[in-house]
Amino acid sequence: MVVRFNIRHDVFERVFFYSFIIPFQVLIVHGDHHKGFSFSVLSNSKKDKIWFAQMLRGVACLIIVYFHYFDLFWSKHDRLIELANVNQTSFSSNLFILDISSFLEGLNINLGAVGVSLFFIISGFVIPFSLANSGKIEFLIKRFFRVLPPYAVGLILTTLTVLIYSRVNNLKFPYTVVDFIANLSLLRDWTGLLTIDGINWTLEMEFKFYFLIAILSIFFGIRSSKALIISSSLLFTSSLLFSFTSDSINVYITQILSVLSNSAIYLTFMMIGICYYNYFKSN
């Protein structure tokens, strides 16, 4: 393995930033929001069966960490530099690990998409357990306070890191207070404002799912196969219809339709998770 770098003096600052922020945010975004599920509500035999969800979550986490460090960091380096607001780095590399990523890309396999999709399916499987043990409003309140505090800590840390680096290196800080509030509220995607950490879109998707599953449980119940089939079909149809939007229409309408189109795809994975939940509960 031969690696050749031509990197400016601040490389260590950048390595520190990526090495610290990415895994910290991955653990917050993809780990904490599943903790509402407790094995205490299950019998011993059910506990043994359901460990597959925990193991699958571990596999998904490893896939995402691999994707960020050994694929995204190199293939989308310019985008990460823009996101972190750091100075441009030039390098050349023939890392063997990149050959693996190129091989998978040739097979149209996107490991990042695979890992995130697994997490969404797991969410669809485990979140109904939390909903079954509380009222609809109580469920949403618990989700809010379980997810938002650790996410807020990660967001503040990320923002401060970018701010300090920008000040030290005489760079313009790219984010505003409005950007920060939008990111903190997890409603940023509806506004079209800048994302600060780049991966909080998954939490934005999770909160959409929380509201969707709460609404389904109120009107139909999540054990209703008809409700799941109809809602999944509507999500799939919406993802197709909303994707054919024109930029010539109102920019705000375009943004809303874009969010609905993208959300419908990932929410469908969560609906698949609910189907696994129903199968698990019936056996």
Side-chain angles (χ1 to χ4, degrees):
M1 180 178 67
V2 178
V3 184
R4 295 183 303 275
F5 291 96
N6 177 21
I7 305 181
R8 296 164 56 156
H9 69 279
D10 56 353
V11 62
F12 294 108
E13 299 171 12
R14 264 163 277 156
V15 169
F16 169 79
F17 179 85
Y18 291 124
S19 299
F20 185 73
I21 294 299
I22 290 177
F24 186 75
Q25 288 287 54
V26 166
L27 289 175
I28 287 177
V29 172
H30 296 301
D32 191 77
H33 60 273
H34 288 162
K35 290 182 181 177
F37 167 66
S38 173
F39 289 119
S40 61
V41 300
L42 304 174
S43 64
N44 287 333
S45 60
K46 292 262 184 177
K47 288 180 185 178
D48 294 335
K49 292 180 181 178
I50 208 170
W51 268 107
F52 85 91
Q54 296 287 47
M55 291 186 289
L56 191 61
R57 186 169 63 181
V59 171
C61 186
L62 290 175
I63 289 175
I64 289 178
V65 170
Y66 167 87
F67 177 73
H68 279 98
Y69 272 112
F70 301 110
D71 190 322
L72 190 64
F73 181 88
W74 307 97
S75 62
K76 299 293 189 298
H77 200 69
D78 290 342
R79 174 67 183 109
L80 293 179
I81 287 174
E82 177 186 350
L83 187 66
N85 195 42
V86 297
N87 291 320
Q88 181 67 38
T89 300
S90 60
F91 65 89
S92 62
S93 171
N94 61 345
L95 285 171
F96 172 71
I97 201 73
L98 295 182
D99 294 333
I100 297 177
S101 298
S102 298
F103 173 75
L104 293 175
E105 288 178 3
L107 298 177
N108 291 321
I109 298 177
N110 185 323
L111 287 179
V114 171
V116 170
S117 298
L118 281 177
F119 268 115
F120 286 155
I121 292 175
I122 295 170
S123 287
F125 176 75
V126 301
I127 294 302
F129 286 97
S130 299
L131 180 61
N133 295 322
S134 59
K136 311 318 183 276
I137 302 299
E138 181 186 1
F139 163 76
L140 292 175
I141 293 175
K142 285 182 177 180
R143 289 287 93 196
F144 178 84
F145 284 105
R146 183 172 295 276
V147 172
L148 198 65
Y151 166 66
V153 172
L155 182 64
I156 292 171
L157 179 61
T158 302
T159 306
L160 287 176
T161 303
V162 177
L163 177 62
I164 293 172
Y165 183 91
S166 300
R167 293 292 184 267
V168 170
N169 291 275
N170 296 317
L171 298 173
K172 180 182 178 182
F173 184 62
Y175 307 113
T176 66
V177 174
V178 175
D179 290 328
F180 180 83
I181 294 175
N183 278 263
L184 183 63
S185 69
L186 295 176
L187 297 174
R188 177 207 56 82
D189 54 341
W190 296 100
T191 65
L193 294 174
L194 294 172
T195 176
I196 294 178
D197 69 7
I199 59 173
N200 54 359
W201 68 271
T202 56
L203 276 186
E204 295 167 353
M205 205 64 61
E206 285 283 341
F207 265 80
K208 293 183 183 68
F209 174 63
Y210 298 156
F211 281 101
L212 175 62
I213 193 176
I215 293 172
L216 283 177
S217 63
I218 291 174
F219 292 101
F220 308 104
I222 59 175
R223 300 298 301 276
S224 170
S225 58
K226 290 183 179 179
L228 292 178
I229 292 173
I230 293 174
S231 57
S232 297
S233 299
L234 288 175
L235 286 172
F236 177 74
T237 303
S238 299
S239 69
L240 294 178
L241 291 178
F242 295 149
S243 63
F244 293 104
T245 58
S246 173
D247 294 335
S248 61
I249 62 178
N250 185 280
V251 63
Y252 299 108
I253 296 178
T254 301
Q255 181 64 29
I256 291 174
L257 294 180
S258 175
V259 171
L260 292 175
S261 176
N262 294 330
S263 300
I265 298 173
Y266 295 108
L267 288 174
T268 302
F269 283 106
M270 297 178 183
M271 301 300 289
I272 294 172
I274 295 180
C275 293
Y276 281 118
Y277 165 81
N278 287 333
Y279 176 79
F280 177 82
K281 295 290 286 186
S282 62
N283 287 275

